[in-house]
Amino acid sequence: MKDRILRIVASLIFLVLFNALFFAIGGTEHTAGTWVSYGFIHLAYLCILAVPLYARYGRGMTVLTYSMYVKPVTYFLVELVVGLIIMACSVENPKWPAIIQGVIFAIFVLYQVILQITNNSTAASMKKQKEESIFIRTLGDRIKFTLSEITDPEARKHVVRCYDAVNNSSLESFPEAQMAELDMRNAVEMLCTAVDSQNSEQIIAASKKVIRAVQERSAVIKRCRMS
C-alpha cells in the first residue's frame, strides 16, 4: 500500500511542478496556441502513466515491460520541447500548434501499437517455449527419479539412455507432434510402472519403447521444420 502511494505521489510531481510554474510565470491569460500546447504536454505525460494499464508483467517479461516505456518517454520529451517552444512564441492561432502536435501524437500512437503487437507475439512465443520446456523437463525428471530404484546394472544402463534421449530431445514442438508426444508420455509412464515391478526384462523393453517414441517425435519435428 505504501509503495502504491509513493508511486502516485512521484507521478504527480511533474504535473504539480509544471502547473505551478506555468501559472506562476504566465498567469491565467494565454494565447490559444499556448493552451493547445498545455493540453498536449499533459496528454504526453498521461501516456507514460497509462503504460501499466497495458504493459505485460510477470516472470521473464521485464524486457518487454521496459520497452513499452521507451516510446512514451521519448514522445513526452519531444512534446515537452515542442510545446515549450510554441508557448515561448505565444502563437495566437491554434491551428498549426494543433496540427504539429497532433501529428507527433499520431506517430507515437502508431509506433506504440506496433510495439504492443510485437510484444504480444513475443510473449506468446515465450509462453509456448516455456510450456514445451516443461513437457520435456517433466518427462526427464520422471525417468531420473526412477534411476535410484533400479538395482540391475543392465536395466539401469537402458534407463540412463532413455533419460539422455528425452533430456536431449527438441524443446520446440508443433501441433503435428501432439500424437507423438502423447506416445512419448505413455512410454515414460510404462517405464515407471516397469521400474516399480523391478522386472529387468520389462524395464529394458519399456526403455526401448521410450527411445522409439523419442525418435518418432524427433522425426515429426524435423519434417515440420523442413515444410
Side-chain angles (χ1 to χ4, degrees):
M1 187 66 179
K2 282 186 177 180
D3 291 342
R4 187 176 181 182
I5 294 173
L6 290 174
R7 283 197 295 269
I8 294 173
V9 171
S11 66
L12 294 176
I13 290 176
F14 168 78
L15 294 177
V16 173
L17 183 61
F18 178 80
N19 281 277
L21 292 174
F22 180 81
F23 291 108
I25 296 173
T28 57
E29 297 294 329
H30 297 282
T31 63
T34 297
W35 284 115
V36 169
S37 297
Y38 174 87
F40 270 103
I41 289 173
H42 281 73
L43 175 63
Y45 189 71
L46 290 176
C47 287
I48 298 176
L49 301 184
V51 171
L53 299 178
Y54 56 86
R56 288 182 172 272
Y57 293 90
R59 190 174 182 180
M61 298 292 180
T62 305
V63 175
L64 298 183
T65 302
Y66 283 147
S67 70
M68 294 303 298
Y69 278 95
V70 174
K71 284 182 174 57
V73 171
T74 302
Y75 164 60
F76 168 71
L77 295 176
V78 171
E79 172 55 42
L80 183 62
V81 172
V82 173
L84 290 177
I85 291 174
I86 293 174
M87 287 180 178
C89 295
S90 297
V91 179
E92 292 287 347
N93 191 337
K95 177 180 177 181
W96 286 107
I99 291 175
I100 293 171
Q101 293 170 99
V103 168
I104 296 174
F105 176 69
I107 293 172
F108 156 70
V109 171
L110 176 62
Y111 278 103
Q112 194 71 352
V113 169
I114 293 173
L115 180 61
Q116 180 69 26
I117 293 173
T118 303
N119 281 356
N120 287 344
S121 177
T122 302
S125 178
M126 291 173 63
K127 182 181 179 181
K128 180 174 178 288
Q129 290 176 356
K130 183 178 179 181
E131 291 173 351
E132 292 166 353
S133 176
I134 290 174
F135 169 73
I136 295 299
R137 287 205 308 268
T138 300
L139 294 185
D141 288 344
R142 291 217 61 187
I143 297 173
K144 185 178 180 180
F145 293 150
T146 64
L147 289 172
S148 60
E149 302 175 17
I150 303 172
T151 55
D152 182 66
E154 185 64 24
R156 182 182 177 83
K157 187 191 302 182
H158 280 78
V159 175
V160 169
R161 288 175 184 168
C162 287
Y163 173 74
D164 291 339
V166 170
N167 212 38
N168 294 324
S169 61
S170 174
L171 296 180
E172 186 180 16
S173 184
F174 296 88
E176 294 84 350
Q178 287 184 356
M179 285 302 299
E181 288 172 351
L182 179 60
D183 291 341
M184 189 171 159
R185 184 183 290 110
N186 291 337
V188 171
E189 291 293 336
M190 289 177 62
L191 175 60
C192 294
T193 302
V195 171
D196 289 339
S197 69
Q198 291 298 321
N199 187 309
S200 298
E201 291 183 0
Q202 290 183 9
I203 294 174
I204 293 173
S207 298
K208 291 179 180 179
K209 288 183 179 179
V210 172
I211 297 291
R212 189 159 53 249
V214 172
Q215 291 172 343
E216 289 175 357
R217 176 179 180 269
S218 298
V220 173
I221 291 175
K222 185 178 180 180
R223 286 197 299 270
C224 291
R225 286 173 178 169
M226 294 175 65
S227 60

